[in-house]
Amino acid sequence: MRVLVHDLTGVGMMQERVRGRLVPEVFRDLASVEALWRSVESDPAALSTPYQRFDWVSAFVSAKLGCTPEEQDASLRVIVLRDPGGRPRVILPLQVARERGVRVARVIGCKHANYHMPMFASREAASMRDEDLVELLRRVGREAGIDVYLLGHQPRFWDGAANPLSLHAAPAVSDAYGLILGPDAETTAKRVFSADARKKMRSKEKKLIEAFGPVEYRVASNADEVRTYLSAFFAQKASRFAAMNIADPYADEGIRRFIATGACRQDDPNEVRGAAIEVAALVACNTGQVFATFAGAVSETRYSGMMTSFDQTPTVGRSSPGDILLHHLIRDQTERGRRSFDLGVGEARYKANICDETIQLGEVTIAVTLRGHLFAIPAMAATRLKRRIKRSQRLARLAKAVRKALHRPPRHGSAAGEANP
């Protein structure tokens, strides 16, 4: 079998079409695949998460993988599987990096994407046998210089359809949590939040208003508002991570560019309608102070939470501005016609309180070469260990104590033998 990698001839592709098999192509730049990708994405029959939208992936690539063709060629692989008639059936965007001498393929933006599922052109395309999909990826890997695929966060089901990549996946460290939005905002709010919870939120919002004046829920409507709300987010996150003595992942300028780029239309950087990332905030009307932020990857039908922050100063924090913002956000998404809402991967109290759906996730490892197989063994073992710790209160407490000890700042004294508090 030959894989068309754009600088190869199409003879192998024609042979596979005659045999009636899916035919793989590998693209090394986004410009070559953009029109095809957008045509699949815009089809209502497509089965995809918001993290496989072209604009979401493109924003990450331009910010983190490099803008020049040479930089993209070194790390970018977009796998397209076509049917015998030439129609694209599956799109899988990957970034390839050398780790300890092994070429590892992961979904583009993997650390910032809640779901790593391929884009399927339809439910029928997603019904392919998992063995066939895995074998095709192995063959592509041999041609494209990939030793192993590490495809985490594979939903077992998406929008009611099974994901073939997840059928033999190992359980992920954590699952994701979401809810189905109802026909109208009021009905959804009453189902998601108890009467007592809604009453408490009204009381907390009232106290916030008494302290700071009128408060408003806003969705960024232009590039200036995107910058303002993201600036507050980065500052609030930096403060929280510093208090926890944890490195701030959002300190990376490339990640900041990615989020800001994704929150604006790529054909018009001043326009945010239709952007891949949507940014909302709870704001003081008189001063513009941002009390809390929430950003998510979006499609026409789903809002998927990527990140959230809130002002932790006592005068603000006691009013739970993040919870207030979340109440407004869910109502707003319902009013705008989105059908699904999720709060992403990982356990948290606020997720358990409002979500009625557990999105089960799996970790998929596909070794292409012996080196890839040897690399994958400890990676899979680490995933199993992390999952075990997550699901054991005793082990979780022990792991937390170890992390705290490892990250404890050094003590300093003014003289040898001086006691330190």
Side-chain angles (χ1 to χ4, degrees), residues 1-10 12-14 16-17 22-28 32-33 36-37 76-83 85-94 136-137 139-141 143-144 146 149:
M1 175 181 175
R2 293 290 301 279
V3 178
L4 188 66
V5 195
H6 284 281
D7 53 347
L8 301 179
T9 68
M13 173 175 282
M14 292 303 298
E16 293 303 315
R17 283 179 177 168
L22 287 177
V23 181
E25 286 182 273
V26 180
F27 294 84
R28 293 175 179 262
S32 298
V33 74
L36 177 152
W37 193 332
L76 179 68
R77 304 290 186 274
V78 180
I79 298 174
V80 176
L81 304 181
R82 296 180 185 267
D83 66 14
R87 298 179 303 165
R89 311 311 292 153
V90 182
I91 299 175
L92 180 60
L94 301 169
L136 276 167
L137 292 179
R139 293 179 180 180
V140 170
E143 295 280 348
I146 294 170
Y149 298 86

Side-chain angles (χ1 to χ4, degrees), residues 35-52:
L36 177 152
W37 193 332
R38 289 190 186 278
S39 69
V40 174
E41 178 184 315
S42 63
D43 189 335
L47 191 69
S48 175
T49 87
Y51 301 95
Q52 282 72 59

Side-chain angles (χ1 to χ4, degrees), residues 16 59 67 77 158 236 247 273 330 340 387 417 419:
E16 293 303 315
C67 300
R77 304 290 186 274
W158 191 257
Q236 290 165 5
R273 287 177 296 179
I330 290 174
S340 302
R387 180 177 174 85

